[in-house]
Structures are given as structure tokens and as C-alpha cells.
């Protein structure tokens, strides 16, 4: 018989199958449906692998960043995706997500529960070099997606460039180069009329 | 101005956005649509992080396995997903995928192109401990998904248990424990009638 640890790990792995049906505001490239949090996590984990050289802080540990990004949205299985610009939804986000983290990571063997809970909290606090770089990638990808999908997913939210800059400019502290790229993409989307004029 | 390397990395990262619209035969948990290769990659990369302790070969390097799994399906952006049991599609799979790998990884800076091409070839050859363990996870997840989605995605293919065992039993050489778990899930699906009687 396989060990109890494997049974608990697989209970978790089966449960997080649900992240593939937690939908975000952005669309996929052919605009046929909303992007989900699982495929978004894949995309930014790959970005971490490829873009680590651009981190401002040389202490950034790629494996820890990749782990954080693979795990960072799992709480949404219970808590749902909270749109970054939804002020009301953001009010009780921390409480909803903490409850979700305790239940979901609690399915794992104790050592892995503790490790993932701790990684998720670190990501959420955005205070360490790894968490700051991870958050930068998590915040950069949707803006690039806005441009690639012609603003179609976020158009109904009537976002202005200042609203976006307010949320995203911290990327500059994680990586001036990534922020320069992101700023350029925001400018291109603005010119194309994907955002609401101020 | 940001460096040329970043422009090339981002060209690749934008191009692989398309993997989110490469659909597999399996369905997502609420059976509302087919699973795509990006979210499948996220799922098995997380499995690698959590299940590495069950690898038969202690030389397995988790970071390399995670990298392989994040990258392993990118060729499908050009080559499409080839169903494991589609004998005709499998005939020219290698040729289609090699062409795709050269074009897609070729978008990256040379050092990263070489690294990812090499990782993808290693995965595909299934000869190293890392590649064998990665392939085991890649082959285990769909079988677990068959059970979770009540066989709905693969029902039309009329698979028999022997067909599945033929493709999947190599999992036992990567990890006897994971194979025992997988075998149990196949048995449960068989009992529920998700596969065609022999």
C-alpha cells in the first residue's frame, strides 16, 4: 500500500484541479473565454525562469519564485479571484484567502502544509526579494495580456492609465528593466484606446 | 532602453500565450470545456514539487523536473496536442514537434534557446532520471483526471484498461508508489464504467 503522505498529497492535487475553473477578468488570446488562474500561474512561473536575470536584487532565488508563483493563486479555489481594481472585493480578500489557505494547504502532510502556507504568506506580504520579484511578474503579465487581447477582457471595467500605473509602478522596484517594458506596453495599449481616457 | 535579451524573452512569452488555447481530450472538473496544455502544465509542475520524495531514483532534481514540465508542451503552440492513443497522429509527431521547438525556442536569446531545446529533448527521450520522473507525472495526471471528470472527456474514445496500462505502466519504473496510486485510480474508473470493457 502506498504511504499516507501520498494519499494526502493526492487529495490536495485533486482538489486544486478546481483552479482551472476560477476565471479572471482577462481573456485568452483568441478572446474565446476568460483566462483562468491555473494557466495564468503556468505563464508567470515560466516568466520567472526566463526573466530572473532582470531582478534588481541579486539574492532572488528562481526556484523559490517559481514555487511561489505555482502556489500563489491556489487560495482562489475557495476564495475566488478578486479583481485588482475591485475596491469592495479587496476589503475582505485577506480574510477569505486566509481561511482558504488553511483549509487547502491543510490537506497536505504537515511539513508541506507549513512550507506552502509560509511561501504563500511571504508572497502575499511582498516584503522579501523573492516575493517582490514574484509579485512583479504576477502584475506584469495581465498588462501584457491587455495589449495582446486588444483590451477586450478589461474594456468593460473602464480602467484609466493612472489606475493601472498606481497598482503596477512597484514593478520598477523589483526590476527597472521589466518596468520599462511594462510601461511601454501600457503606452501602446493607451494609444490603441484599450483604456479609458483620464 | 531595456536590453535586447528582454525583447527576445518577451517575444517568446507573448507567443506562448497561445498554449492556453491548445486543447486536450480531457475535460476540466466541471466538464464545461476541454483542458488546455497550459493549465495541465501548471498542474504537473506542482505535482513535481509535492511528489518528488516518491521518485525511485534519488538523483531526481526537482527544479529541473519543474522546468521540464513547464516547458514540455510549448511545442504544441505550433504542432497541436497529439492524443496519446492516436496512432496516426503519433506517426509524424516527432517531426512536427521538432520543427515547432526550433521556431518557438528560437525566439529566445541563444543561451536560453539552447537550454530549453535541450531540456525539451531530454524530456522527450525519457532516458534520464529527471525525464523519466517528469514523464511519469505527465502520464499520471490525465488518468486521475479521467476519474475526477467521470470519464466524460475520453468516453468517446472507447479506451480499454489494457490500452491505458500499456501506455502508463512505465510509471512504475519512475516511482512504484505513484504507479500503485495510479493503478488504484484506473481500477476505480474501470468499476465506474468510464472505460470500455475488454
Amino acid at each position: 500500500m502506498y504511504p499516507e503522505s501520498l494519499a494526502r498529497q493526492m487529495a490536495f492535487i485533486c482538489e486544486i484541479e478546481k483552479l482551472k475553473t476560477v476565471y479572471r477578468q482577462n481573456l485568452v488570446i483568441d478572446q474565446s473565454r476568460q483566462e483562468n488562474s491555473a494557466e495564468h500561474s503556468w505563464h508567470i512561473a515560466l516568466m520567472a525562469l526566463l526573466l530572473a536575470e532582470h531582478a534588481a536584487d541579486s539574492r532572488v532565488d528562481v526556484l523559490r519564485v517559481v514555487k511561489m508563483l505555482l502556489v500563489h493563486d491556489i487560495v482562489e479555489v475557495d476564495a475566488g479571484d478578486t479583481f485588482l481594481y475591485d475596491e469592495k472585493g479587496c476589503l475582505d480578500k485577506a480574510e477569505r484567502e486566509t481561511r482558504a489557505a488553511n483549509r487547502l494547504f491543510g490537506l497536505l502532510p504537515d511539513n508541506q502544509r507549513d512550507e506552502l502556507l509560509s511561501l504563500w504568506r511571504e508572497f502575499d506580504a511582498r516584503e522579501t526579494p523573492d516575493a517582490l520579484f514574484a509579485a512583479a511578474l504576477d502584475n506584469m503579465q495581465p498588462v501584457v495580456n491587455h495589449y495582446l487581447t486588444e483590451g477586450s477582457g478589461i474594456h468593460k471595467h473602464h480602467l484609466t492609465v493612472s489606475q493601472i500605473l498606481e497598482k503596477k509602478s512597484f514593478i520598477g522596484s523589483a526590476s527597472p528593466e521589466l518596468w520599462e517594458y511594462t510601461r511601454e506596453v501600457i503606452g501602446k495599449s493607451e494609444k490603441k484606446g484599450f483604456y479609458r481616457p483620464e
Side-chain angles (χ1 to χ4, degrees), chain A:
Chain A
M1 191 52 196
Y2 52 79
E4 166 70 10
S5 64
L6 180 55
R8 294 182 68 171
Q9 288 156 340
M10 289 307 302
F12 175 79
I13 286 161
C14 291
E15 184 68 15
I16 63 170
E17 176 82 41
K18 294 176 187 164
L19 196 62
K20 300 171 190 171
T21 53
V22 172
Y23 292 99
R24 299 161 50 81
Q25 296 301 317
N26 287 12
L27 300 189
V28 290
I29 189 99
D30 64 4
Q31 303 182 26
S32 59
R33 61 168 176 83
Q34 285 170 275
E35 184 189 39
N36 68 68
S37 294
E39 62 199 354
H40 157 73
S41 299
W42 162 78
H43 208 178
I44 57 178
L46 244 168
M47 286 172 70
L49 284 183
L50 294 170
L51 302 178
E53 68 187 87
H54 305 291
D57 195 316
S58 61
R59 289 170 298 175
V60 164
D61 174 336
V62 186
L63 178 57
R64 290 192 81 246
V65 174
V66 168
K67 276 189 182 185
M68 259 182 213
L69 292 174
L70 289 174
V71 163
H72 83 294
D73 271 348
I74 286 177
V75 291
E76 297 181 0
V77 163
D78 283 0
D81 180 60
T82 308
F83 188 44
L84 181 63
Y85 308 91
D86 170 9
E87 290 181 19
K88 204 176 152 200
C90 286
L91 285 179
D92 65 345
K93 182 173 180 268
E95 187 197 320
R96 283 182 289 119
E97 293 194 345
T98 300
R99 213 180 312 130
N102 289 331
R103 184 187 83 80
L104 291 159
F105 297 129
L107 296 170
L108 287 165
D110 295 356
N111 59 336
Q112 292 187 323
R113 173 199 63 203
D114 294 347
E115 188 197 350
L116 265 53
L117 260 177
S118 157
L119 262 178
W120 173 73
R121 286 189 192 123
E122 180 181 337
F123 171 80
D124 210 46
R126 208 187 278 181
E127 283 167 359
T128 63
D130 290 342
L132 182 67
F133 190 65
L137 300 173
D138 185 39
N139 274 273
M140 179 181 173
Q141 185 264 345
V143 175
V144 176
N145 174 284
H146 294 170
Y147 183 71
L148 294 175
T149 57
E150 302 174 313
S152 54
I154 43 92
H155 200 74
K156 64 177 176 188
H157 295 292
H158 311 292
L159 296 179
T160 63
V161 170
S162 347
Q163 278 179 293
I164 294 169
L165 294 179
E166 189 199 331
K167 297 288 187 188
K168 307 292 184 179
S169 60
F170 84 91
I171 294 173
S173 59
S175 166
E177 295 171 0
L178 294 189
W179 177 236
E180 202 184 336
Y181 179 92
T182 308
R183 191 70 195 80
E184 182 182 283
V185 176
I186 294 171
K188 290 197 310 192
S189 285
E190 186 183 15
K191 267 194 197 145
K192 293 261 192 180
F194 301 159
Y195 301 128
R196 181 164 61 93
E198 306 288 340

